[in-house]
Amino acid sequence: MTDILLCGKSNDQSIVKALLPALTRYGGVRYIHPELLRKIGEDEARFLVCDCERIPKVEGSSGILFLKNSFDSDMPIAIPDGFLCAFEPQNQRAAALLRAAGAAAVTCGMCAKETLSISSLDYGAAALSLQRSITTVSGDVVEPRDITVELHSAVSPRQMLAVCMVLLMAGVDSSYGYVI
């Protein structure tokens, strides 16, 4: 199972609303929020998504840490061992905290300098560009490439980029594109 920590304000549900249905297309999901535990999909859980305001202490696990735009902390952060980090480039506070923690992180945004960006957008479809190699939770390397995205739901470009970054980091094969 791939552990995914989404850190930011609990009322910031933008990424979660797009991520959970997308992950369900690639396996079952268990979702934990401060006031909710939910199983999504008929399949056995392939993903555990924990929506939290702070980075929890994690023992004996690896996974993905995604800092939402609403993530903010006045305290230094500790990145759990074995966790890959991603954030949206608008969150300069998260960037500074990750840098201070010595954590390597990838970004997903609208600018060509981001690790994952949009190269074209059309009604019902998009093409994303992975600008740099990234490592998946299993240690595989995904080389730069273009990724097609078939949109089956109304998502913003920001949501689409975050979802696709999580899918890439989780090791979901992008050879045939993604469906969101």
Side-chain angles (χ1 to χ4, degrees):
M1 182 177 327
T2 301
D3 295 342
I4 303 164
L5 303 176
L6 297 176
C7 294
K9 303 285 185 217
S10 61
N11 62 352
D12 177 3
Q13 295 290 296
S14 175
I15 300 300
V16 170
K17 285 180 181 178
L19 182 63
L20 296 179
L23 288 175
T24 304
R25 294 180 185 277
Y26 300 98
V29 177
R30 302 235 359 129
Y31 174 65
I32 300 171
H33 184 271
E35 299 176 11
L36 175 69
L37 169 62
R38 184 169 75 178
K39 179 182 184 240
I40 306 166
E42 299 297 318
D43 299 332
E44 186 172 329
R46 178 177 177 189
F47 306 99
L48 172 67
V49 178
C50 181
D51 198 351
C52 46
E53 292 202 9
R54 294 188 185 102
I55 300 170
K57 181 178 178 184
V58 178
E59 296 178 357
S61 185
S62 62
I64 300 164
L65 171 64
F66 191 95
L67 300 178
K68 300 186 276 188
N69 275 340
S70 62
F71 179 79
D72 191 17
S73 176
D74 293 331
M75 304 296 293
I77 60 174
I79 308 301
D81 289 338
F83 271 72
L84 305 172
C85 302
F87 69 101
E88 297 170 287
Q90 297 86 351
N91 192 341
Q92 293 302 308
R93 181 71 182 138
L97 289 166
L98 287 164
R99 195 170 25 257
V106 295
T107 58
C108 49
M110 305 296 278
C111 181
K113 70 177 184 169
E114 312 306 341
T115 307
L116 183 65
S117 63
I118 296 174
S119 47
S120 71
L121 185 60
D122 195 5
Y123 182 77
L128 305 184
S129 182
L130 181 62
Q131 304 290 334
R132 286 173 284 295
S133 298
I134 65 167
T135 303
T136 67
V137 291
S138 63
D140 295 328
V141 174
V142 181
E143 297 294 336
R145 66 179 68 174
D146 288 334
I147 302 163
T148 59
V149 180
E150 188 177 324
L151 301 168
H152 285 217
S153 59
V155 295
S156 71
R158 178 180 162 256
Q159 290 170 310
M160 176 179 44
L161 286 162
V163 167
C164 290
M165 180 58 81
V166 169
L167 290 170
L168 281 166
M169 294 172 83
V172 176
D173 185 14
S174 64
S175 302
Y176 301 104
Y178 292 135
V179 177
I180 298 177

